[in-house]
């Protein structure tokens, strides 16, 4: 069923149309206002739209009211058509805009195309009108019509032509054919090649169309007309870095040396350094930016993350606290970082304080899990469980996530029977919950209840046939117990078909092949899995296969390297004791 387009607060909207949009109620004529009302679009790139003065005649009032009432009743097509008819009569771009917005919402392609083209005709400087019109024309394959409309719009920009050219690619972004966009941009910019913005627009279009050399050539032309133009230099460096890593860095280093106060080029340089994993030089650039703008939130944020990456907890904490004082938008993420820093520094009370400060939202559940982890690290498992259970009662929508956290804490403490009881109890309330079925099945196997494990995994597969890890878990369990190996391999291959590059499923296949006596095939799969992810369990399997092939030095080296990276892995300890007691 199509959703109703309900026009909120029609009286307020009518007031907006009558009084702030140049439609005075008393019959007097008024110029367009300087201030932009709620919901109105700012003129693109600083271009001030000029609207006609309108007299609010009884007929105009009646048709506006008719459109609003139609929209409030869910008759969106009638509302859009009424606005479009009125826009044609009044030649007022604001009314055309209203018609276009409603038509787009109701997915009326012809109506939205007519309204957006009228809006563009009446307000050629509107970027949003250009975008809607280009999308509507592209969907109707009327590209010549679009070119004519945009050419007319550009010709009317006067001394604002530079800003209009800079917005040209954004206006065409709805067209899916990027080569066609480039062709349009080339034709539309032809009369304006004495403006560097025309060449910049061509460079953007060439880059999006997959022609970096063409983009570079256009940027060279732009920079000849405007040497040291920041935007052009930034794009040039980004292109150079893609084609010849290091060249873009050199270009930006030269630029900031000549222009030490240039913010965006220096930020781009720092980001390219991060992309090149040159973290220390990147951090140096952000620190230079901080000296010039100590309250720049984006720069403080970047400096904090780089300090964390380099293990400089003191600097990271200082920057993050400053970020909070500056009113950074995502404050809860900052609090999570500060909690992690406090955890790493063994300041448990501080860590818990930061996590408790996280407000309900995307970070809240994770913060509660971290609180529980910190409590467990202090030997307070019972208190950690109580915390999760209390939060689960207060937020029933997230109950399953807290149950899973509690079960994991118990498994980590080797209390697998308790973990199973927690999961099983929750599953009795939600017997078809996918996550509870999966986790309780794996825990059931840990406590030797293989029949429960198999039953729950088969139920899970029936409920969700594309759950790759359910196939893998069931197949691996069979293979590890050396049972029904044909079925085990079929199940694992089914999981692998769903997620072909999953290293754990590849590991399961390798282990199954080894159980079946296909040592060469097993080695191939296990080496592939270990290359994707050097997990200790994969390392244990790989080493065992190498040992079976007589390549014992290689096996020992794999185990040794994995044990160095994962010193607490009981799987590695067991396999090393087994073969090298």
């Amino acid at each position: 069923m199509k959703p109703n387009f309900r026009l909120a607060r029609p009286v307020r909207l009518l007031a907006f149309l009558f009084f702030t949009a140049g439609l005075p109620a008393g019959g007097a004529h008024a110029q367009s206002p300087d201030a932009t009302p709620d919901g109105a679009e700012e003129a693109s790139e600083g271009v001030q739209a000029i609207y006609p003065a309108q007299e609010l005649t009884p007929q105009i009032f009646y048709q506006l009211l008719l459109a609003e009432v139609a929209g409030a009743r869910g008759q969106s097509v009638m509302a859009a058509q009424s606005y479009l008819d009125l826009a044609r009569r009044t030649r007022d771009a604001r009314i055309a805009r209203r018609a276009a917005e409603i038509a787009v919402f109701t997915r009326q392609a012809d109506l939205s195309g007519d309204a957006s083209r009228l809006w563009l005709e009446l307000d050629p400087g509107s970027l949003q009108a250009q975008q809607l019109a280009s999308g509507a024309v592209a969907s109707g394959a009327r590209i010549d019509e679009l070119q004519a409309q945009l050419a007319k719009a550009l010709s009317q920009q006067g001394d604002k032509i530079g800003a209009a050219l800079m917005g040209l690619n954004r206006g065409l972004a709805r067209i899916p054919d990027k080569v066609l966009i480039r062709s349009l941009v080339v034709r539309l910019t032809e009369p304006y090649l004495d403006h560097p913005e025309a060449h910049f627009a061509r460079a953007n279009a060439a880059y999006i169309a997959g022609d970096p050399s063409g983009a570079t050539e256009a940027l060279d032309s732009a920079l000849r007309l405007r040497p040291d133009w920041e935007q052009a230099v930034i794009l040039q460096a980004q292109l150079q870095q893609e084609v010849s890593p290091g060249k873009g860095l050199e270009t930006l280093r030269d630029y900031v040396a000549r222009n030490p106060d240039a913010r965006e080029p220096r930020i781009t340089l720092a980001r390219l350094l991060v992309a090149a994993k040159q973290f220390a030089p990147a951090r140096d650039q952000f620190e230079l930016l901080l000296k010039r703008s100590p309250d720049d939130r984006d720069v403080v944020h970047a400096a904090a993350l780089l300090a964390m990456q380099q293990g400089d907890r003191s600097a990271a904490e200082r920057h993050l606290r400053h970020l909070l004082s500056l009113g950074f938008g995502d404050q809860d993420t900052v609090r999570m970082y500060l909690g992690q820093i406090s955890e790493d520094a063994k300041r448990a009370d501080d860590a818990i304080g930061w996590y408790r400060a996280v407000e309900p939202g995307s970070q809240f559940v994770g913060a509660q899990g971290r609180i529980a982890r910190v409590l467990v690290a202090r030997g307070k498992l019972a208190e950690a469980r109580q915390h999760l259970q209390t939060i689960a009662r207060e937020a029933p929508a997230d109950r399953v996530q807290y149950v899973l956290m509690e079960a994991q804490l118990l498994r980590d403490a080797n209390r697998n029977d308790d973990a199973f009881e927690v999961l099983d109890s929750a599953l009795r309330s939600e017997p078809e919950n996918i996550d509870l079925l999966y986790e309780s099945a794996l825990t059931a196997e840990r406590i030797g209840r293989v029949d429960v494990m198999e039953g729950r995994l088969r139920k899970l597969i029936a409920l969700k046939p594309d759950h790759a890890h359910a196939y893998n878990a069931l197949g691996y369990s069979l293979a590890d117990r050396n049972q029904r190996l044909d079925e085990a391999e079929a199940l694992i291959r089914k999981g692998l078909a769903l997620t072909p590059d999953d290293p754990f499923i590849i590991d399961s296949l390798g282990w199954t092949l080894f159980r079946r006596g296909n040592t060469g095939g097993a080695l191939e799969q296990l080496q592939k899995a270990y290359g994707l992810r050097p997990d200790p369990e994969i390392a244990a399997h790989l080493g065992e296969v190498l040992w079976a092939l007589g390549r014992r030095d290689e096996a020992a080296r794999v185990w040794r390297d994995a044990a160095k990276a994962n010193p607490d892995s009981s799987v590695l300890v067991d396999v090393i004791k087994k073969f090298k007691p």
Side-chain angles (χ1 to χ4, degrees):
M1 186 174 71
K2 186 180 293 182
N4 288 338
F5 184 85
R6 301 223 173 256
L7 302 177
R9 300 186 300 276
V11 173
R12 178 183 173 189
L13 181 58
L14 284 170
F16 155 60
L17 288 168
F18 298 164
F19 302 110
T20 62
L23 293 170
H29 293 263
Q31 298 299 320
S32 58
D34 293 331
T36 303
D38 290 347
E41 176 195 16
E42 294 284 0
S44 66
E45 303 291 349
V47 179
Q48 177 63 51
I50 303 300
Y51 298 112
Q54 296 285 358
E55 180 180 352
L56 184 59
T57 65
Q59 179 60 35
I60 292 176
F61 179 87
Y62 173 76
Q63 198 159 349
L64 285 169
L65 187 60
L66 177 66
E68 285 298 308
V69 171
R73 291 178 175 174
Q75 298 170 332
S76 307
V77 176
M78 180 183 291
Q81 187 64 61
S82 295
Y83 272 121
L84 180 56
D85 292 344
L86 185 58
R88 284 170 173 155
R89 288 199 302 107
T90 62
R91 307 293 292 171
D92 192 297
R94 290 153 299 187
I95 301 176
R97 169 189 174 158
R98 187 68 176 159
E101 289 173 339
I102 299 174
V104 167
F105 180 86
T106 56
R107 301 174 186 267
Q108 297 292 317
D110 291 340
L111 193 56
S112 64
D114 290 343
S116 60
R117 286 192 292 274
L118 178 61
W119 180 15
L120 179 60
E121 178 185 343
L122 298 173
D123 187 5
S126 167
L127 175 60
Q128 191 177 353
Q130 293 173 21
Q131 291 172 331
L132 281 180
S134 65
V137 171
S139 65
R142 296 192 292 255
I143 299 301
D144 291 340
E145 180 184 343
L146 174 62
Q147 182 181 337
Q149 289 175 337
L150 291 177
K152 180 181 178 182
L154 289 171
S155 70
Q156 296 175 349
Q157 296 304 306
D159 60 0
K160 304 295 185 181
I161 185 61
L165 290 167
M166 292 295 285
L168 189 56
N169 281 281
R170 294 197 301 275
L172 295 168
R174 291 178 179 235
I175 299 176
D177 187 340
K178 304 310 177 187
V179 174
L180 176 59
I181 290 178
R182 183 185 185 184
S183 176
L184 276 171
V185 169
V186 168
R187 293 198 296 271
L188 289 166
T189 54
E190 190 67 35
Y192 309 104
L193 293 180
D194 55 337
H195 293 270
E197 294 88 352
H199 298 281
F200 190 92
R202 288 185 169 191
N204 255 325
Y207 177 70
I208 293 170
D211 181 9
S213 62
T216 299
E217 183 179 344
L219 284 172
D220 289 342
S221 297
L223 286 166
R224 279 195 293 272
L225 291 169
R226 188 185 297 175
D228 271 5
W229 183 18
E230 274 195 13
Q231 285 178 275
V233 169
I234 288 170
L235 183 55
Q236 182 187 58
Q238 291 170 332
L239 286 169
Q240 290 172 339
Q241 194 69 7
E242 287 187 20
V243 175
S244 178
K247 178 64 175 173
L249 296 175
E250 181 182 337
T251 294
L252 288 170
R253 281 193 177 104
D254 289 345
Y255 186 87
V256 297
R258 297 192 307 273
N259 304 276
D261 293 329
R263 178 184 184 275
E264 293 304 320
R266 193 177 294 278
I267 285 178
T268 305
L269 171 59
R271 288 173 176 164
L272 290 180
L273 287 165
V274 169
K277 298 186 177 180
Q278 298 183 36
F279 299 117
R283 186 179 172 189
D284 290 342
Q285 294 299 325
F286 281 116
E287 293 293 347
L288 285 171
L289 285 161
L290 279 179
K291 288 180 181 178
R292 292 177 170 83
S293 303
D295 294 337
D296 186 320
R297 286 179 289 189
D298 291 338
V299 175
V300 176
H301 184 215
L305 295 182
L306 282 169
M308 288 180 67
Q309 193 279 333
Q310 291 187 289
D312 188 346
R313 288 197 295 263
S314 176
E317 185 169 8
R318 184 176 69 254
H319 290 318
L320 290 168
R321 286 177 178 273
H322 185 39
L323 204 55
L324 286 178
S325 72
L326 294 172
F328 184 69
D330 191 358
Q331 298 229 337
D332 284 338
T333 296
V334 175
R335 294 180 181 118
M336 290 292 286
Y337 286 145
L338 285 164
Q340 291 170 29
I341 289 171
S342 298
E343 270 194 77
D344 293 342
K346 309 300 183 186
R347 299 186 340 243
D349 289 338
D350 288 345
I352 290 175
W354 285 118
Y355 294 139
R356 289 193 186 279
V358 172
E359 297 178 351
S362 62
Q363 301 284 353
F364 185 78
V365 174
Q368 307 317 305
R370 296 308 311 176
I371 290 171
R373 289 281 178 186
V374 174
L375 290 171
V376 169
R378 301 178 75 179
K380 298 181 178 182
L381 176 57
E383 187 176 336
R385 294 183 65 189
Q386 183 61 47
H387 172 73
L388 293 175
Q389 292 166 8
T390 301
I391 293 292
R393 286 193 295 271
E394 294 172 355
D398 297 320
R399 173 175 171 267
V400 169
Q401 295 186 69
Y402 295 121
V403 167
L404 296 175
M405 288 177 181
E406 184 181 357
Q408 186 61 53
L409 293 180
L410 290 164
R411 283 195 296 259
D412 291 345
N414 203 29
R415 290 173 55 177
N416 293 309
D417 289 298
D418 291 335
F420 179 78
E421 177 54 37
V422 166
L423 293 164
D424 198 50
S425 175
L427 194 60
R428 286 194 288 273
S429 300
E430 298 186 52
E432 295 189 349
N433 184 281
I434 300 300
D435 294 327
L436 291 174
L437 280 169
Y438 183 72
E439 293 297 332
S440 66
L442 299 188
T443 308
E445 185 183 36
R446 286 192 176 197
I447 61 176
R449 299 184 63 178
V450 177
D451 55 333
V452 174
M453 182 256 332
E454 184 167 342
R456 291 187 180 177
L457 288 176
R458 291 195 184 280
K459 180 178 180 179
L460 172 52
I461 289 169
L463 290 169
K464 189 173 175 54
D466 62 346
H467 197 298
H469 288 282
Y471 292 104
N472 178 59
L474 183 53
Y476 179 80
S477 176
L478 291 171
D480 201 43
R481 288 180 282 118
N482 215 12
Q483 296 176 357
R484 293 149 47 196
L485 295 178
D486 286 345
E487 183 183 359
E489 183 175 344
L491 286 163
I492 291 166
R493 288 192 182 277
K494 176 69 172 178
L496 195 58
L498 292 166
T499 54
D501 295 321
D502 189 302
F504 296 109
I505 303 181
I506 296 170
D507 169 67
S508 296
L509 178 59
W511 191 240
T512 304
L513 293 174
F514 180 58
R515 289 293 204 200
R516 304 194 70 178
N518 184 356
T519 314
L523 179 63
E524 179 184 354
Q525 296 298 325
L526 290 168
Q527 286 177 327
K528 179 180 179 182
Y530 194 63
L532 289 169
R533 179 160 180 160
D535 180 82
E537 187 166 346
I538 299 175
H541 291 158
L542 176 58
E544 187 163 343
V545 171
L546 287 168
W547 193 278
L549 288 167
R551 296 159 61 173
R552 297 187 173 186
D553 289 342
E554 290 181 61
R557 184 169 62 251
V558 167
W559 290 331
R560 184 174 59 250
D561 292 345
K564 188 181 298 183
N566 304 273
D568 298 326
S569 171
S570 60
V571 174
L572 283 171
V573 170
D574 290 344
V575 77
I576 291 171
K577 283 182 179 179
K578 176 181 176 182
F579 291 96
K580 298 185 69 178

